[in-house]
């Protein structure tokens, strides 16, 4: 693919027909040449899963006017891998994932297909951003989310950053957008879901289970993504995929004798 324009890879985990990906395409379209590779069905909660036991299907679709778009039978991470190897035949200048329907703040980043797609791109040396909007409705108003996506994507494209740069951006639901306070650079909150399984029985009397849970924030800090979103900011958390606990490593080197 030969072009002087910036190549922007767009993907998601809600599937290629989700309103959020339409909103993201509209937001970043003025910034370069957009190519879409997204799952052909919802893949929420897939994390960094890849497909290895069955073949993958990749079909071009006329889903977005004037935009090259492909749907993939695999996971969000599969989409990024195939985009680089079989569609673009090069690294795009940036990868943007979303706009997810629902929060991906705090611990959600571990489970999120939206963020895992962006993380896969960052692992491949492509600066990347995952965008999530805290409204789960497919009828959600993405006006504010589109403005945030445009602003952050433009800033990253214009910045001299590491090719492994990865941002997790969440946008709050605000009834009156005049109350929006801007984008706050944050850390990930210490928060999680306290989970349980709702046990039920099918018509044959056999047990089945629905995962349920309640979100709990254990972090009183005012520099976290959860705090920012609760106070009418969009949160931007710089993320790394190196999971080494360096402070613990240093302490263990001093105190552990193995």
């Amino acid at each position: 693919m030969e072009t002087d324009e910036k190549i922007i890879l767009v993907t998601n985990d809600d599937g290629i027909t989700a309103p959020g990906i339409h909103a993201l395409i509209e937001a970043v379209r003025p910034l370069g040449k957009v190519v879409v590779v997204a799952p052909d069905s919802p893949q929420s909660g897939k994390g960094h899963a890849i497909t290895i036991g069955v073949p993958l299907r990749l079909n071009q679709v006329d889903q977005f006017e004037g935009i090259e778009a492909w749907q993939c039978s695999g996971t969000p991470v599969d989409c990024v891998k195939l985009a680089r190897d079989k569609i673009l035949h090069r690294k795009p200048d940036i990868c943007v994932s979303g706009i997810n329907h629902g929060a991906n703040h705090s611990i959600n980043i571990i489970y999120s297909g939206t963020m895992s797609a962006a993380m896969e791109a960052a692992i491949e040396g492509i600066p990347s951003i995952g965008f999530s909007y805290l409204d789960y409705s497919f009828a959600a108003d993405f006006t504010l989310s589109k403005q945030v996506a445009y602003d952050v994507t433009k800033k990253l494209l214009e910045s001299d950053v590491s090719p492994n740069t990865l941002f997790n951006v969440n946008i709050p639901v605000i009834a009156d957008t005049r109350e929006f306070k801007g984008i706050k650079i944050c850390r990930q909150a210490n928060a999680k879901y306290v989970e349980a399984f709702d046990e039920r029985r099918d018509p044959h009397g056999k047990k089945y289970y629905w995962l349920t849970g309640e979100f709990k924030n254990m972090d009183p800090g005012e520099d976290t993504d959860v705090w920012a979103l609760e106070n009418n900011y969009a949160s931007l958390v710089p993320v790394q995929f190196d999971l080494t606990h360096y402070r613990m490593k240093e302490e263990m080197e001093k105190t552990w004798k193995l």
Side-chain angles (χ1 to χ4, degrees), residues 25-220:
I25 291 165
E26 291 176 20
V28 303
R29 194 169 188 168
L31 299 174
K33 179 177 177 58
V34 172
V35 178
V36 179
V37 184
D40 60 10
S41 60
Q43 299 285 320
S44 295
K46 287 297 181 72
H48 215 91
I50 57 173
T51 302
I52 58 175
V54 295
L56 292 168
R57 306 290 180 182
L58 191 61
N59 298 302
Q60 192 163 9
V61 293
D62 186 16
Q63 188 77 29
F64 315 100
E65 185 177 354
I67 299 289
E68 181 182 355
W70 299 77
Q71 65 180 20
C72 171
S73 62
T75 68
V77 172
D78 291 330
C79 291
V80 173
K81 289 179 176 291
L82 280 168
R84 188 199 181 297
D85 190 53
K86 297 300 181 186
I87 305 300
L88 299 175
H89 305 291
R90 53 156 284 187
K91 293 180 182 179
D93 294 282
I94 196 170
C95 174
V96 290
S97 181
I99 298 170
N100 189 67
H101 295 258
N104 275 319
H105 55 28
S106 65
I107 197 64
N108 291 320
I109 191 173
I110 300 295
Y111 307 103
S112 166
T114 300
M115 281 305 298
S116 288
M119 186 176 291
E120 178 63 27
I123 291 169
E124 290 294 324
I126 304 161
S128 301
I129 314 165
F131 292 101
S132 302
Y133 180 37
L134 272 63
D135 193 329
Y136 288 86
S137 170
F138 268 39
D141 181 355
F142 283 92
T143 302
L144 177 59
S145 295
K146 288 192 289 185
Q147 186 59 54
V148 170
Y150 173 84
D151 290 345
V152 177
T153 303
K154 183 174 186 291
K155 186 69 174 178
L156 185 54
L157 280 169
E158 294 172 348
S159 300
D160 183 17
V161 297
S162 162
N164 302 120
T165 296
L166 174 60
F167 293 157
N168 181 21
V169 176
N170 283 265
I171 301 102
V173 179
I174 302 176
D176 184 349
T177 56
R178 291 174 296 182
E179 297 180 3
F180 178 59
K181 295 180 180 177
I183 301 168
K184 185 176 180 63
I185 299 172
C186 307
R187 64 177 174 86
Q188 179 180 320
N190 176 20
K192 60 170 289 187
Y193 283 91
V194 178
E195 295 172 336
F197 284 93
D198 184 6
E199 182 180 304
R200 304 183 186 182
R201 292 185 182 270
D202 66 20
H204 302 286
K206 294 183 178 180
K207 294 179 182 178
Y208 67 96
Y209 302 90
W210 282 106
L211 178 63
T212 65
E214 182 180 0
F215 185 74
K216 296 288 187 182
N217 182 20
M218 289 79 72
D219 198 323

Side-chain angles (χ1 to χ4, degrees), residues 221-240:
E222 295 185 1
D223 58 343
T224 72
D225 48 7
V226 173
W227 184 93
L229 292 159
E230 290 176 346
N231 287 273
N232 290 350
Y233 292 93
S235 63
L236 188 162
V237 177
V239 178
Q240 64 181 16

